[in-house]
Amino acid sequence: MDRSSMPELARRIFASQPFTQLLGAELIEASESGVTMELPLRRELQQQHGFAHGGVISYLADNSLTFAGGMALNDDALTSEFKINYARPAKGARLRAQAEAVSVSGKQAICQCRIWSVDDDRETLCAVAQGTIVRVSGGPGGSRA
Amino acid sequence: MDRSSMPELARRIFASQPFTQLLGAELIEASESGVTMELPLRRELQQQHGFAHGGVISYLADNSLTFAGGMALNDDALTSEFKINYARPAKGARLRAQAEAVSVSGKQAICQCRIWSVDDDRETLCAVAQGTIVRVSGGPGGSRA
Amino acid sequence: MDRSSMPELARRIFASQPFTQLLGAELIEASESGVTMELPLRRELQQQHGFAHGGVISYLADNSLTFAGGMALNDDALTSEFKINYARPAKGARLRAQAEAVSVSGKQAICQCRIWSVDDDRETLCAVAQGTIVRVSGGPGGSRA
Amino acid sequence: MDRSSMPELARRIFASQPFTQLLGAELIEASESGVTMELPLRRELQQQHGFAHGGVISYLADNSLTFAGGMALNDDALTSEFKINYARPAKGARLRAQAEAVSVSGKQAICQCRIWSVDDDRETLCAVAQGTIVRVSGGPGGSRA
C-alpha cells in the first residue's frame, strides 16, 4: 500500500469503529513513527471511585498499539496480545496515548505505548503497555479482524 | 471483612461503576472461587469489521480479574497489571468472562480469566488473560482506586 | 506430522538443547494434552538469597510453553512472547512445570503453565505463565528457530 | 540508603548470584537512570538450532529489570512479574540488555528493557520486556527474595 495514504486509511478505520465513537476517542496523529490518540474523560468512563476505569485505559492501549502496528506494517492490522501496567489512577480532563513500533518484521510488529492523564498543562503517566500486532492476513486471532 | 458479605459488596461496587453501566455488563456470580460476568453485544461495542472491539474484551478481562482478586483477598482491590491474548474475533449475542485467583498472598492475588463469545448454546473461547490484583491499601497504582 | 511420533520428536529436541543440558532439566511427559518438565535445584541455579533465580523459573516457563505449543500444533514451534507472574520464592529439591495449550489455531497456540517447587511430598505454586507459541514456519521472531 | 552506594551494592548482589555466575553475565553499568548487562554467548547457552535459548534471554530480561527497579527504588528489589516479546533469534558474540524504570512509586517500579545481540559493530534487537519490580519488603512473591 502507498505509505502516503496510510494516515488517511487510519483515520477512516478509526472513524468507523463504533466503540471508539461510543467512548469519544480522537486520533490526533498517525504516521510511520507512531500514533497519538486522546480521550476526553467524562463521568460515564469512570469506575466507582471517580477515576477512569481500567477498561477505558486498556481500550486506549489496545487501540493505539493496533494503529501503531498498522502504520508500521503499512497494512490493516490487529492486536494479537498485549500487556498493560497501570502506574497511577487516571483522572483529569483527558487521556493521551502514544504508541510506536519497536520492532517490525514481515508479518508482525512489537509495539509499546504510554498513556498519560492530561490536565491543563500537567501530564501524568498512568499506564504503559506492550504487545504484538499482526497483519490481518497473518492469522485468525486478534482483537480485530 | 465478613466473607458472607463479599458477594453483596461486589454487586454494589459493580453497580456503581459508570463505565460498566455504559457498556451494560452484568455480574452473574461472585464467590471466593471466582466470578462470572456477561456483556450483551450490540453495535456500539464493535470495531470496524463487526466484531466486539478489543477494548471491550480487555474491559471484561480487567474487571473480572479485579473482582476475582477482590473476592480472594476479601477486600476492595485494584488491578495492578494484566496480559491478554486474543484467541479469536468475538461475535455473537454476548460475551462471558470467568475469572479466578490462582495464587493468593496477604497483599495480592494472581488471577486468570477466560472470555467466551456465547451464541445460542455455542461457546467460543475468545481471549485469556492473567494479571496481578492488589488490595486497595497495597499500593498507589492500579486500574482502580 | 504423525501425532504418534511427536513425543519422540519432543524428546529429541529437548535433548539437543545445550542450555537445557546445562541446567539439567528433564522432560517428564509430552502429549497432546500437555507437557511436564522438572528441574532438580542445585546451588548454581540460585540467586543471592538461596532461592531459584527468576531466570531459572522463566527458562522453565519459556521451554514448557514452547513444547506444549509444539505438541498442540503438531510441529516444531517457537515462543513468540510470554508473561510470567512469580507467586512465591522457589526452593526445594526440584521445580516442576506443567504446560498446556488453551487455544489452538492453524498457526499458533496460546499456552499456559504453572510451576511448582517440589519437596518430599509437598508442592508449592511458584509461578504462572501465559504466552503465544507459533509454528517455526509462522514468523521470523521467537525464542527458538 | 545512600544513593551513591547503590552501584556498589548492585555489583555485590550481582556477583553473589550463583546463576549469574553459571551463565557468565556481566554488570556493565548501574545507575539511577538504568542498568546495562552483557552476556557472552557460548554453545552451552544455545537451543537446538544454534541460537541463544529463550530462557537465556528471559534471564537477562528478569535480571536487568530487577536491577533497574532496585536502582530506581534505591533498595533491594525483586521482580514480581514481567512480559517478554522475542523479536528475532539471537546469535552473535554477546547479548546486551539495557533496562530502566519508567514509573516509580513508593513501593514499586515499572521497568522496561531491550535486549540486543551484538556482533562486531552490529547490534540487533532481539527482545523487549516490561515488568513490575517491588521492594523486597513489599510482598512475599517475586523472583528474588
Side-chain angles (χ1 to χ4, degrees):
Chain A
M1 186 173 297
D2 177 10
R3 275 210 176 272
S4 64
S5 63
M6 277 301 292
E8 180 47 34
L9 176 62
R11 275 175 211 293
R12 238 179 17 238
I13 294 176
F14 192 85
S16 68
Q17 297 187 319
F19 190 56
T20 290
Q21 298 310 307
L22 178 66
L23 269 57
E26 303 160 10
L27 181 59
I28 305 297
E29 201 186 328
S31 74
E32 237 183 295
S33 64
V35 304
T36 303
M37 295 178 182
E38 290 191 3
L39 177 56
L41 290 178
R42 60 185 200 272
R43 190 170 181 285
E44 282 178 317
L45 306 183
Q46 295 175 357
Q47 36 80 291
Q48 69 275 17
H49 295 300
F51 299 108
H53 193 286
V56 171
I57 300 168
S58 67
Y59 153 80
L60 271 180
D62 176 287
N63 221 31
S64 65
L65 291 170
T66 309
F67 278 76
M71 295 301 297
L73 293 164
N74 198 26
D75 204 347
D76 199 5
L78 57 87
T79 292
S80 172
E81 58 83 31
F82 75 95
K83 180 253 205 294
I84 185 167
N85 284 74
Y86 297 105
R88 275 176 210 85
K91 51 183 176 177
R94 51 178 55 220
L95 298 178
R96 177 179 299 142
Q98 289 187 304
E100 60 171 3
V102 296
S103 174
V104 183
S105 72
K107 294 175 183 176
Q108 72 171 43
I110 302 170
C111 297
Q112 291 183 327
C113 82
R114 297 192 183 189
I115 297 174
W116 292 267
S117 64
V118 182
D119 221 346
D120 297 327
D121 55 352
R122 197 185 137 121
E123 299 188 351
T124 308
L125 185 67
C126 294
V128 292
Q130 175 178 312
T132 307
I133 283 69
V134 297
R135 285 181 196 284
V136 164
S137 57
S143 74
R144 262 163 223 62
Chain B
M1 187 175 296
D2 177 11
R3 277 212 175 272
S4 64
S5 63
M6 276 300 292
E8 180 46 34
L9 176 62
R11 274 174 211 292
R12 248 193 352 254
I13 294 177
F14 192 84
S16 68
Q17 297 188 320
F19 190 56
T20 290
Q21 298 311 307
L22 177 66
L23 268 57
E26 302 159 11
L27 181 59
I28 304 298
E29 199 184 331
S31 73
E32 238 183 295
S33 63
V35 303
T36 302
M37 295 178 182
E38 289 191 3
L39 177 57
L41 289 178
R42 61 185 199 273
R43 192 171 181 284
E44 283 178 316
L45 305 184
Q46 294 174 358
Q47 36 81 292
Q48 69 274 19
H49 296 300
F51 299 107
H53 193 287
V56 171
I57 300 168
S58 67
Y59 152 80
L60 271 181
D62 176 288
N63 222 30
S64 66
L65 291 170
T66 309
F67 277 76
M71 295 302 296
L73 292 165
N74 198 26
D75 204 348
D76 200 4
L78 57 86
T79 292
S80 172
E81 58 83 32
F82 75 95
K83 180 254 205 296
I84 184 166
N85 284 73
Y86 297 104
R88 275 176 210 85
K91 50 183 176 177
R94 50 178 55 223
L95 298 178
R96 178 180 299 141
Q98 288 186 304
E100 60 171 2
V102 295
S103 173
V104 183
S105 71
K107 293 175 182 176
Q108 72 171 44
I110 301 171
C111 297
Q112 291 182 326
C113 82
R114 298 192 181 189
I115 297 174
W116 292 267
S117 64
V118 183
D119 222 347
D120 297 328
D121 56 351
R122 196 183 138 122
E123 299 189 352
T124 309
L125 185 67
C126 295
V128 291
Q130 176 178 311
T132 308
I133 282 70
V134 297
R135 285 181 195 284
V136 165
S137 58
S143 75
R144 261 162 223 65
Chain C
M1 185 175 296
D2 178 9
R3 277 212 175 273
S4 64
S5 63
M6 276 300 294
E8 181 47 33
L9 176 62
R11 275 174 212 292
R12 241 185 8 245
I13 294 177
F14 192 85
S16 69
Q17 297 188 318
F19 189 56
T20 290
Q21 299 310 307
L22 178 65
L23 267 58
E26 303 160 9
L27 181 59
I28 303 298
E29 198 185 332
S31 74
E32 237 183 295
S33 64
V35 304
T36 303
M37 296 178 181
E38 290 191 3
L39 178 57
L41 289 178
R42 61 186 200 272
R43 190 171 181 285
E44 283 178 317
L45 305 184
Q46 294 174 358
Q47 34 83 290
Q48 69 274 18
H49 296 300
F51 299 106
H53 194 286
V56 171
I57 300 167
S58 66
Y59 152 80
L60 271 181
D62 176 287
N63 221 30
S64 65
L65 291 171
T66 308
F67 277 76
M71 295 302 295
L73 292 165
N74 198 26
D75 203 349
D76 200 3
L78 57 86
T79 292
S80 172
E81 57 83 31
F82 75 96
K83 180 256 203 295
I84 185 168
N85 283 75
Y86 297 105
R88 276 176 209 84
K91 50 184 177 177
R94 50 178 56 222
L95 297 178
R96 177 179 301 142
Q98 288 186 305
E100 59 171 2
V102 295
S103 173
V104 183
S105 71
K107 294 175 181 176
Q108 72 172 43
I110 302 170
C111 297
Q112 292 182 325
C113 83
R114 299 191 181 189
I115 297 174
W116 292 266
S117 64
V118 183
D119 221 347
D120 298 326
D121 56 352
R122 196 184 138 121
E123 299 189 353
T124 308
L125 184 67
C126 295
V128 292
Q130 177 178 311
T132 308
I133 282 69
V134 297
R135 286 181 195 285
V136 164
S137 56
S143 76
R144 262 161 222 63
Chain D
M1 187 175 295
D2 178 10
R3 277 211 174 273
S4 63
S5 63
M6 277 300 293
E8 180 47 34
L9 177 62
R11 273 174 213 295
R12 248 193 353 254
I13 294 176
F14 192 85
S16 68
Q17 297 188 318
F19 189 56
T20 290
Q21 298 310 308
L22 178 66
L23 268 58
E26 303 160 11
L27 180 60
I28 304 298
E29 200 186 329
S31 74
E32 236 183 294
S33 63
V35 304
T36 303
M37 296 179 180
E38 290 191 3
L39 177 57
L41 290 177
R42 61 185 199 272
R43 190 170 181 288
E44 282 178 317
L45 306 184
Q46 294 174 357
Q47 36 81 289
Q48 70 275 18
H49 296 299
F51 299 106
H53 194 286
V56 170
I57 300 168
S58 67
Y59 153 79
L60 270 181
D62 176 288
N63 222 30
S64 65
L65 291 171
T66 309
F67 278 75
M71 295 301 296
L73 292 165
N74 198 27
D75 204 348
D76 200 4
L78 57 87
T79 291
S80 172
E81 58 84 30
F82 75 95
K83 180 252 204 299
I84 184 166
N85 284 74
Y86 297 104
R88 276 176 210 84
K91 51 184 176 177
R94 51 178 54 222
L95 298 178
R96 176 180 300 141
Q98 288 187 304
E100 60 171 2
V102 295
S103 173
V104 183
S105 71
K107 294 177 181 174
Q108 72 172 42
I110 301 169
C111 296
Q112 291 183 326
C113 82
R114 298 191 181 189
I115 297 174
W116 292 267
S117 64
V118 183
D119 221 345
D120 297 327
D121 56 352
R122 197 184 137 121
E123 298 189 352
T124 307
L125 184 68
C126 294
V128 291
Q130 175 179 310
T132 306
I133 283 71
V134 297
R135 286 181 194 284
V136 164
S137 56
S143 75
R144 263 161 221 64

